[in-house]
Amino acid sequence: MDAELIQKLQAMIDESSNIVFFGGAGVSTESGIPDFRSQDGLYAQKWSYPPETIISASFFYAEPKEFYRFYREKLIIDGVEPNAAHKKLAELEAAGKLKAVVTQNIDGLHQAAGSKTVYELHGSTLRNYCTKCRKFYPVEFISQSASSKDTLPHCTECGGLVKPDVVLYEEGLDDKVIDGAINAISKADMLIIGGTSLVVYPAAGLIRYFTGKHLVLINKSETQADKNAELVIHDSIGEVFSQIHV
């Protein structure tokens, strides 16, 4: 790893007081969670239907059993822990330097590491709700219902089908989450983009609201935003953050 690049990143962090982190799947893969688009990601694996079809809103309602068969096996991940990137971001927030995390991930690892202000653009597998009465359920409810007679999670109050609080294909992002993310990014003096290829929209489009001083991009591969960044580091985000001092 280039020590000079780390020194530049450290200097930018040291002089900044309103940092926002915008992250994607690459942040979680280092905790052992597979991404969707890599060669070994979910999209490269074979199911009865393409994964893009299975995790769509129309498929959820039309074929809920097949949806949950895929969802339980591939999207509910047990035993994962926050990595160095998650932990360093939480430290930066505790120190008053980082103001928000904007994430495309649905695993809740930022909160598990201690981050408080997290805008989850695509929702979270840790939250689930009844499609009829809106009662909320924890992720354990989804896992436990796999042993029920029809394997589907039904509300204990009204019997409605319980749905993960994640943004499926064909669904729009939550307006309040979007507004919060835009507000945080637009006020930031430093935006660190990490672990994302910036190909998923509308999420990736949020970075255009940044007008601050330092734009940093940390990703193993090149992205469309590299040319606009003040500092680009093509390396493991966990390894990069592990060398940063708060």
Side-chain angles (χ1 to χ4, degrees):
M1 187 176 300
D2 192 324
E4 184 178 347
L5 295 180
I6 298 298
Q7 290 175 359
K8 289 181 179 179
L9 176 60
Q10 183 72 64
M12 292 177 186
I13 290 175
D14 289 344
E15 74 169 50
S16 301
S17 59
N18 191 336
I19 303 171
V20 170
F21 178 79
F22 180 95
V27 180
S28 292
T29 54
E30 295 182 26
S31 287
I33 297 178
D35 71 4
F36 274 52
R37 291 174 173 78
S38 69
Q39 184 177 356
D40 298 319
L42 297 185
Y43 285 0
Q45 301 177 21
K46 294 183 178 180
W47 287 75
S48 300
Y49 301 85
E52 300 96 320
T53 298
I54 296 175
I55 52 176
S56 66
S58 57
F59 191 91
F60 170 78
Y61 290 105
E63 301 283 349
K65 287 187 178 181
E66 183 67 10
F67 171 90
Y68 269 114
R69 186 175 76 87
F70 177 88
Y71 184 84
R72 290 187 178 107
E73 181 173 337
K74 293 298 181 182
L75 296 183
I76 295 181
I77 310 296
D78 294 325
V80 294
E81 299 292 338
N83 58 54
H86 297 109
K87 294 174 182 178
K88 189 64 65 175
L89 290 167
E91 289 178 25
L92 286 168
E93 182 184 34
K97 298 185 73 66
L98 185 91
K99 302 304 181 184
V101 169
V102 180
T103 181
Q104 299 173 80
N105 297 330
I106 58 176
D107 48 50
L109 288 179
H110 284 292
Q111 292 92 328
S115 290
K116 305 299 183 184
T117 303
V118 182
Y119 296 103
E120 297 173 306
L121 299 177
H122 297 148
S124 173
T125 60
L126 304 186
R127 299 187 302 270
N128 307 273
Y129 64 91
C130 173
T131 54
K132 288 186 178 180
C133 73
R134 309 295 290 188
K135 179 179 178 179
F136 269 80
Y137 292 89
V139 65
E140 291 78 14
F141 183 79
I142 301 298
S143 301
Q144 293 167 1
S145 63
S147 61
S148 64
K149 185 176 181 179
D150 64 0
T151 74
L152 294 177
H154 286 106
C155 179
T156 57
E157 296 292 328
C158 72
L161 180 64
V162 174
K163 177 184 179 296
D165 190 18
V166 297
V167 179
L168 303 177
Y169 283 107
E170 304 166 350
E171 294 182 323
L173 304 187
D174 184 278
D175 288 339
K176 290 183 178 180
V177 175
I178 289 294
D179 289 345
I182 290 174
N183 183 58
I185 291 172
S186 64
K187 292 180 178 179
D189 58 8
M190 180 177 185
L191 177 63
I192 304 174
I193 301 171
T196 174
S197 55
L198 294 175
V199 298
V200 178
Y201 284 83
L206 297 183
I207 66 173
R208 73 179 187 272
Y209 290 97
F210 176 68
T211 59
K213 184 176 181 181
H214 298 303
L215 177 60
V216 176
L217 204 148
I218 307 169
N219 197 52
K220 289 184 177 180
S221 58
E222 295 182 3
T223 77
Q224 60 187 9
D226 283 16
K227 61 183 181 296
N228 300 320
E230 179 182 359
L231 178 64
V232 176
I233 303 177
H234 289 149
D235 212 321
S236 158
I237 189 165
E239 292 183 14
V240 171
F241 273 118
S242 66
Q243 299 186 56
I244 295 300
H245 303 288
V246 177

